[in-house]
Amino acid sequence: PTSGKRVEACPNHYVAYGVAEAGRDYNTVDISERTLRDVYLPPFKASFDHRGLFDRTYWNATARYEHDLGFAQLTSITSYQDLDKRYHDDTDNSPFPIFNTGEEQQQSQWSEELRLAGQTSRLNWVAGLYGLDIHVRVAGHGTLPGLEIGFNDAQDTESLALFGQVEYQLSKLFSVILGARYSADWKKFYFRHQENGAEDFAFDRSLFPNLASKKFDDYSGKIEFDIKPNEDTLLYLSVNRGTKGGGFNVPSFPPFDPDRMVFDQEVLINYEGGYKLSLAGDKITFNGSGFHYDYRQYQAFSLEGFSQSITNHPAEVNGVEIELAARPIEALRLNAFATHLFTARVEDVTL
């Protein structure tokens, strides 16, 4: 934005732009980090006091195995992920230590999904189990005038789920879908907070055995009734129950309350009805639906002072949505959608 003869900008608008090759701005430039920091950054020292950093290394490996058993297809998916991240930020963008933050994180996880799937002339079915093991370690820090804070936390999660779904064609016009899933999470949490080098809050299983080690388990499910009057039209009514596991808050600043360190799991019951149309020889699809979301223990995010937290509240959402997609020629696809919410309410939380 401009005001009179003044222009608001930040260092990234100018730093090292003078080395643009052939006088072209935004052109590729070969410049070492040492040259950048020793030659181009010093004149802009007045713009910040804390070196920014974002360094992330992520590894992922997946192994998939499939085998035809005759009556069903067996599928195994094994996955491993590893993440190392460092992040530092001069949040106030000034030469003064008003608000600087930083965090280092290490995370690793294994997962395994094993499922069977089969079909007959009128029945499609799938059943299986899923396991997950996650380990997260985080160290963070922040500064305010006259105040330095630090924290360390660690969370270990073991998760197991059993699931199954069947789709049965009652007739050429009607079909029904039934699905269910049971999930259980075992979570262990460790947290330490320091203020100006002195520990002022601790939370772990030795101090709070009933809070720092929790089991969250629940079920999800699906019931859907479909009507298909022709090959281009589908009408449906469904009820879905979904869950989201609970967890732990990581407060940056006091006050600290052990009872508020834990937030509960979330349950959503979705009542939905709609249609799916295929027109003009499958060149146009036109879908629409109406829905009612009934949340039990909705996980609401809030900011109290400088501390972020998640708390549970009843909530509901009511609305409709439509989607139009057209493919007039093979190389061109057009999409449009619209959503209208009649109600979006979370008790005791301002949206």
Side-chain angles (χ1 to χ4, degrees):
T2 62
S3 176
K5 295 182 179 180
R6 292 179 297 178
V7 178
E8 292 184 8
C10 58
N12 71 308
H13 291 115
Y14 303 106
V15 175
Y17 275 20
V19 298
E21 294 180 355
R24 293 182 298 171
D25 203 3
Y26 295 106
N27 194 33
T28 301
V29 176
D30 184 9
I31 181 173
S32 68
E33 181 175 354
R34 179 177 179 180
T35 301
L36 175 66
R37 298 192 177 279
D38 291 347
V39 177
Y40 291 97
L41 283 179
F44 297 93
K45 173 63 178 177
S47 298
F48 49 85
D49 68 290
H50 187 68
R51 175 183 174 182
L53 173 68
F54 184 84
D55 182 10
R56 179 174 60 187
T57 303
Y58 174 74
W59 296 91
N60 178 44
T62 301
R64 183 185 181 98
Y65 173 76
E66 296 183 355
H67 186 74
D68 189 351
L69 300 177
F71 72 97
Q73 182 79 8
L74 172 66
T75 303
S76 171
I77 302 175
T78 306
S79 177
Y80 174 75
Q81 299 180 29
D82 185 89
L83 171 68
D84 286 286
K85 186 179 75 172
R86 293 186 298 157
Y87 175 77
H88 294 172
D89 183 39
D90 187 344
T91 308
D92 58 90
N93 288 313
S94 78
F96 307 104
I98 298 176
F99 191 23
N100 299 329
T101 60
E103 183 177 284
E104 298 184 0
Q105 176 181 341
Q106 198 283 326
Q107 175 178 327
S108 63
Q109 73 175 57
W110 284 94
S111 66
E112 169 65 28
E113 180 177 337
L114 193 65
R115 66 173 184 259
L116 288 172
Q119 63 181 26
T120 64
S121 59
R122 304 176 68 176
L123 175 70
N124 293 326
W125 62 272
V126 62
L129 57 87
Y130 178 79
L132 178 67
D133 185 67
I134 306 177
H135 303 278
V136 182
R137 304 292 183 265
V138 178
H141 69 270
T143 61
L144 289 170
L147 177 65
E148 293 186 5
I149 62 117
F151 66 87
N152 300 84
D153 67 78
Q155 179 170 306
D156 297 320
T157 301
E158 295 178 349
S159 181
L160 179 65
L162 306 173
F163 60 89
Q165 180 169 300
V166 296
E167 180 177 359
Y168 185 70
Q169 185 176 356
L170 301 171
S171 67
K172 290 184 177 180
L173 184 62
F174 302 107
S175 62
V176 63
I177 301 175
L178 301 174
R181 180 186 182 100
Y182 170 78
S183 301
D185 298 334
W186 293 266
K187 297 186 177 182
K188 302 173 184 177
F189 191 60
Y190 169 97
F191 180 74
R192 290 290 189 274
H193 189 275
Q194 304 88 34
E195 182 174 315
N196 291 330
E199 184 176 291
D200 57 349
F201 180 69
F203 182 88
D204 59 32
R205 288 180 293 162
S206 65
L207 299 172
F208 303 97
N210 295 326
L211 294 176
S213 180
K214 301 288 290 186
K215 177 184 178 182
F216 303 98
D217 67 318
D218 210 331
Y219 71 93
S220 57
K222 176 186 183 74
I223 301 176
E224 180 173 321
F225 186 65
D226 294 342
I227 304 175
K228 198 168 185 179
N230 55 60
E231 290 298 320
D232 300 323
T233 304
L234 173 67
L235 308 175
Y236 68 92
L237 290 172
S238 67
V239 179
N240 297 274
R241 187 183 195 273
T243 62
K244 182 193 296 185
F248 302 93
N249 285 306
V250 184
S252 301
F253 298 91
F256 302 109
D257 183 354
D259 291 326
R260 299 192 64 182
M261 292 289 292
V262 183
F263 56 89
D264 206 351
Q265 54 196 358
E266 176 184 291
V267 176
L268 167 63
I269 300 178
N270 173 27
Y271 304 89
E272 184 173 338
Y275 62 87
K276 298 182 179 181
L277 303 179
S278 179
L279 309 171
D282 292 335
K283 291 185 177 181
I284 299 175
T285 58
F286 183 45
N287 305 328
S289 65
F291 54 87
H292 169 67
Y293 292 169
D294 181 13
Y295 287 93
R296 317 286 173 84
Q297 300 287 66
Y298 174 76
Q299 295 174 358
F301 172 85
S302 62
L303 183 64
E304 300 177 8
F306 289 100
S307 290
Q308 305 169 355
S309 65
I310 295 175
T311 53
N312 296 100
H313 304 267
E316 67 171 344
V317 178
N318 298 293
V320 294
E321 61 183 10
I322 58 174
E323 179 184 10
L324 179 65
R327 193 177 65 250
I329 59 176
E330 187 65 29
L332 177 64
R333 185 176 181 87
L334 304 174
N335 294 278
F337 71 92
T339 301
H340 177 73
L341 299 181
F342 301 102
T343 307
R345 179 179 63 87
V346 182
E347 289 189 13
D348 302 321
V349 175
T350 302
L351 297 179

